[in-house]
Amino acid sequence: IVSPLLRTMQTAVGVFGGGNYTDGASASPLMVEGAGNSGRQPISSLNCPPFLAVEACREHLGVHPCDKRSSITKYRTLFPAIDFSLIKNDEDVLWGPDVIETDESVVARGMNLFDWLWTREEKEIAIVTHCGFLYHTLNTYGKGCHPTVAEELGKVFANCELRSMVLVDRSKLGSDTSRYNFAGKIPAGLDMPSDVADKKQAEEASKN
């Protein structure tokens, strides 16, 4: 999932894209040569996850020209293998030069994005987005968490920083049917690193 701004799409394909693209390849390039005056070689989409552009994870809307996107028509020429089908308007109708989006509006977008993530079939999703968007969204999301977790969620992201999160369906907390270690219960088995636990279990099995 990537914000449809030039800098986030360049970051997304740089991190999750394939190797250098060559003419005649069977798949479209993720990014063409020199996209956005980057001076970079074209990037292949072979053996890569799907890329989906989503407006909901954009940075604060309005005032700052760096947060205004170009037309989707232009972006499709620069990033041929990114899926822009969820974006309804070719031109940027969300950004305005005079009024900046409120923090409350950013939070609402972020929480709606999290709700939408639950509808996806994928279990592991990377989101390439913006510091301000993440700061406001995760601070709000963390209000229902343990203070230690909330503190971690509320830390400001550095440029190109990667963090991992597990979203838990609270309706499953304490459920005996869960088969996942992160579903709100103490995991079954030995409380030690998995490789050590596997070795110990093998030793115990050999004794029996």
Side-chain angles (χ1 to χ4, degrees), residues 57-90:
C57 61
R58 286 178 59 175
E59 187 59 288
H60 267 93
L61 299 167
V63 179
H64 303 298
C66 62
D67 296 327
K68 185 180 188 298
R69 68 165 172 81
S70 296
S71 70
I72 299 304
T73 298
K74 178 179 179 180
Y75 282 155
R76 282 195 170 112
T77 65
L78 300 177
F79 303 93
I82 291 182
D83 182 354
F84 295 97
S85 62
L86 293 183
I87 298 179
K88 298 178 180 178
N89 301 100
D90 188 50

